Amino acid sequence: MLDLDNLREIKKLDKSDIRGSLAGFPSQMDQTWQEIKKMTLPKGYDGVKNAILVGMGGSSFGGRIIKSLYFDS
């Protein structure tokens, strides 16, 4: 039986290092938030009511997290 608490076994299966990507996600989110706070949107964007986020594979994680946070709104 596979021991999912054993990092060596996980690394054998996780050839693309998805675990590493997920471990770095909080710092990536923090960096993104710091960069967003510096942005100024052009005039005319203040009326925007919807946005589309797209991604494939791991690139879709951000959109899925946002969807789960704002599912009811």
Side-chain angles (χ1 to χ4, degrees), residues 53-72:
L53 299 172
V54 296
M56 292 174 34
S59 299
S60 68
F61 288 160
R64 290 177 183 201
I65 289 171
I66 290 170
K67 179 182 177 183
S68 70
L69 292 172
Y70 294 98
F71 182 76
D72 293 331

Side-chain angles (χ1 to χ4, degrees), residues 2 6 9-10 12-13 17-18 20-21 24 28 30 35 37 43-44 49-51 53-54 56-57 61 63 68 73:
L2 181 63
N6 184 329
E9 289 187 41
I10 291 172
K12 285 185 214 173
L13 297 171
D17 193 29
I18 298 298
S21 294
Q28 293 171 11
D30 183 55
E35 292 177 20
K37 290 193 309 187
K43 289 186 178 202
K49 302 230 185 289
N50 297 297
L53 299 172
V54 296
M56 292 174 34
F61 288 160
S68 70
S73 58

